[in-house]
């Protein structure tokens, strides 16, 4: 009896050891990746490792797996949390920022990066001063203020103008003085750490979550950091993976990628409503090359991008309403153009492919503009969800965007 009991105990112990070795994380980093780290180290510990969500309506209709990285689940509500944390921690490592010394972080932003910076700054013991164009949704300013940031709204104007929101932020950082602290200008458009943040975090997460089975990555470009960082990471590790730019109307980047010339149709027509780009989509699209985006178009080398899809404001609005009606996804304007482009790429590549895009932020930051039905209707955009995706196919065909 004792012998049989001892044998049974030995078997149980052996099984337990095997189970432990199979299930336990092999490192602290792996513990975080697998969700085994149950307690986050402050709010910054919540940043990253966002899930991939299958966008069922688009996937079922195309026969592809169209996956959206749910960056709106970051604690600051957008993908910009990643660069805020990465840039600030690098500045600390280099001695450029010291917590609790009245140091102030300055940035020019359309909103989301500012919110992320304000959150991380408050968590780490810094002041934050954000300069943004006055035509951005007012709820972004309100969120910034609730995060304790000083907010300065300036009239929209070209980057070559000294009063451009980016140039104002740079100047304020240079002029800032306190007893012990200093001003630090993040410079998200030109700062290579923007690229590095997504190369080191977003790209590896996508590779792990798809088990390396990804055929295309689709994303827009504001600063260029996300699309550049993810594209470089995936192309170095996934043979044959393609990368496409999703570009709003009024931006010249799509023509730069597809034809080598920076040009937007609105420049020919002379009907531009805004200085930056003629679109209601906030935070995406430019008529200049940032240092981050330029990494995708190396001089003397082959482009890292396989094409670009131009997306109209009308299609962006319609896609946002489609996703809410059919998937329950409440996303912002940049995520909407990403999904229009992903649908186009899926039809171009054909069934059986896996396409990943970014759902950068929620529609909660766009209630007074992009998600204001009356405001969109005044601009002539339908706010009724399309009856089927065939309606998008017809519109995209008319725009010549179905074959990037």
């Amino acid at each position: 009896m004792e012998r049989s009991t001892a044998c049974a105990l030995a078997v149980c112990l052996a099984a337990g050891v095997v189970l432990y070795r199979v299930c336990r994380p092999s490192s602290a980093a792996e513990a975080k990746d697998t969700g085994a780290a149950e307690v986050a180290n402050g709010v910054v510990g919540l940043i990253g490792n966002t899930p991939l969500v299958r966008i069922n309506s688009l996937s079922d209709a195309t026969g592809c797996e169209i996956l959206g990285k749910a960056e709106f689940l970051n604690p600051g509500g957008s993908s910009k949390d990643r660069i805020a944390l990465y840039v600030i921690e690098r500045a600390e490592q280099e001695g450029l920022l010291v917590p609790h010394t009245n140091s102030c972080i300055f940035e020019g932003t359309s909103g989301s990066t500012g919110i992320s910076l304000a959150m991380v700054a408050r968590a780490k013991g810094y002041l934050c001063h954000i300069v943004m164009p006055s035509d951005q949704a007012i709820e972004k300013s309100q969120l910034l203020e609730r995060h304790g940031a000083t907010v300065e709204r300036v009239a929209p104007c070209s980057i070559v103008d000294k009063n451009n929101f980016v140039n104002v932020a740079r100047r304020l950082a240079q002029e800032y003085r306190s007893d012990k602290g200093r001003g630090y200008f993040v410079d998200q458009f030109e700062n290579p750490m923007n690229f590095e943040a997504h190369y080191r975090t977003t790209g590896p997460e996508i590779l792990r979550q798809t088990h390396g089975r990804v055929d295309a990555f689709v994303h827009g470009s504001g600063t260029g950091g996300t699309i550049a960082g993810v594209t470089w990471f995936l192309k170095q590790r996934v043979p044959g993976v393609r990368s496409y730019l999703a570009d709003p109307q009024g931006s010249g980047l799509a023509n730069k990628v597809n034809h080598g010339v920076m040009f937007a149709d609105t420049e020919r027509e002379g009907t531009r409503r805004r200085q930056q780009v003629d679109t209601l989509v906030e935070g995406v699209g430019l008529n200049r090359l940032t240092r981050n985006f330029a990494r995708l178009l190396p001089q003397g080398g082959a482009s890292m991008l396989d094409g670009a899809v131009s997306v109209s404001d009308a299609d962006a609005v319609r896609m946002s309403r489609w996703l809410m009606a059919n998937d329950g996804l409440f996303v912002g304007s940049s995520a909407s153009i990403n999904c229009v482009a992903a649908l186009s790429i899926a039809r171009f590549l054909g069934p059986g492919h896996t396409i990943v895009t970014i759902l950068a932020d929620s529609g909660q930051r766009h209630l007074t503009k992009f998600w204001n039905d009356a405001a969109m209707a005044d601009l002539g955009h339908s706010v009724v969800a399309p009856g089927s995706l065939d309606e998008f196919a017809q519109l995209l065909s008319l725009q010549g965007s179905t074959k990037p």
Side-chain angles (χ1 to χ4, degrees):
M1 183 68 176
E2 291 180 355
R3 181 176 181 182
S4 61
T5 301
C7 290
L9 287 172
V11 170
C12 290
L13 286 171
V17 169
V18 171
L19 183 62
Y20 172 75
R21 288 178 176 174
V22 170
C23 294
R24 72 177 179 86
S26 60
S27 66
E30 188 178 338
K32 182 179 179 182
D33 288 346
T34 59
E38 295 180 0
V39 179
N41 184 18
V43 70
V44 298
L46 298 171
I47 295 174
N49 289 300
T50 56
L52 274 182
V53 57
R54 183 180 190 267
I55 305 177
N56 290 331
S57 67
L58 304 184
S59 299
D60 293 343
T62 60
C64 290
E65 290 296 293
I66 298 182
L67 311 177
K69 192 147 176 60
E71 289 292 280
F72 58 83
L73 293 179
N74 279 301
S78 81
S79 58
K80 299 300 185 179
D81 284 10
R82 295 176 184 269
I83 68 168
L85 179 61
Y86 189 83
V87 170
I88 289 175
E89 289 192 337
R90 282 287 297 274
E92 288 175 334
Q93 293 167 10
E94 296 173 10
L96 300 175
L97 282 174
V98 179
H100 308 293
T101 60
N102 289 325
S103 291
C104 187
I105 294 166
F106 292 84
E107 182 60 333
T109 165
S110 62
S112 289
T113 302
I115 294 166
S116 298
L117 286 169
M119 179 191 71
V120 176
R122 178 54 63 95
K124 284 181 162 287
Y126 302 106
L127 303 174
C128 188
H129 189 123
I130 299 300
V131 185
M132 63 189 301
S134 58
D135 60 352
Q136 302 300 288
I138 192 64
E139 53 265 40
K140 293 182 179 180
S141 294
Q142 294 168 338
L143 282 168
L144 280 162
E145 291 167 352
R146 297 288 76 79
H147 278 87
T150 298
V151 183
E152 190 169 340
R153 293 171 71 95
V154 299
C157 59
S158 170
I159 188 66
V160 299
D161 192 312
K162 67 178 182 179
N163 294 316
N164 175 271
F165 66 104
V166 174
N167 297 331
V168 171
R170 179 186 292 108
R171 184 166 64 249
L172 290 173
Q174 293 170 345
E175 295 171 352
Y176 180 79
R177 297 288 184 274
S178 72
D179 292 341
K180 294 183 291 183
R182 66 176 69 187
Y184 181 81
F185 177 51
V186 173
D187 197 17
Q188 60 173 329
F189 290 90
E190 310 301 331
N191 192 334
M193 284 187 281
N194 186 343
F195 164 91
E196 292 173 19
H198 292 289
Y199 183 89
R200 294 180 181 275
T201 66
T202 318
E205 288 174 30
I206 290 173
L207 185 71
R208 186 188 73 247
Q209 290 168 323
T210 60
H211 304 287
R213 294 188 291 273
V214 54
D215 297 294
F217 176 67
V218 184
H219 191 46
S221 178
T223 65
T226 306
I227 189 171
V230 174
T231 296
W232 270 88
F233 183 87
L234 292 180
K235 290 218 167 189
Q236 290 175 344
R237 291 161 177 82
V238 183
V241 68
R242 304 186 188 190
S243 183
Y244 295 95
L245 172 70
D247 208 35
Q249 69 180 50
S251 173
L253 295 178
N255 272 316
K256 180 66 175 177
V257 172
N258 289 334
H259 308 295
V261 179
M262 182 74 73
F263 181 77
D265 289 340
T266 49
E267 293 175 330
R268 177 191 298 118
E269 297 165 1
T271 58
R272 179 177 299 186
R273 297 189 305 272
R274 296 179 55 212
Q275 290 292 335
Q276 183 184 13
V277 287
D278 186 21
T279 178
L280 58 82
V281 177
E282 296 183 358
V284 183
L286 283 176
N287 283 311
R288 63 185 176 90
L289 287 182
T290 66
R291 183 177 179 184
N292 284 289
F293 189 80
R295 289 174 175 268
L296 297 168
L297 307 172
Q299 292 185 354
S303 172
M304 297 287 287
L305 293 172
D306 296 278
V309 178
S310 294
V311 179
S312 70
D313 283 353
D315 279 349
V317 174
R318 289 160 62 85
M319 178 57 76
S320 67
R321 274 57 176 182
W322 168 272
L323 292 173
M324 172 52 71
N326 294 276
D327 297 275
L329 285 171
F330 185 43
V331 298
S333 54
S334 63
S336 296
I337 71 163
N338 284 348
C339 288
V340 174
L343 173 63
S344 178
I345 299 303
R347 286 184 161 142
F348 174 73
L349 296 179
H353 293 87
T354 297
I355 298 160
V356 176
T357 190
I358 303 289
L359 306 179
D361 66 1
S362 157
Q364 295 175 14
R365 291 187 179 172
H366 304 265
L367 293 175
T368 59
K369 294 186 68 178
F370 187 72
W371 271 100
N372 183 322
D373 285 356
M376 294 299 97
D378 286 344
L379 293 173
H381 302 313
S382 172
V383 293
V384 177
S388 76
L389 289 174
D390 290 340
E391 296 183 38
F392 279 98
Q394 183 180 6
L395 288 170
L396 289 169
S397 178
L398 291 173
Q399 294 170 3
S401 300
T402 52
K403 292 190 177 182

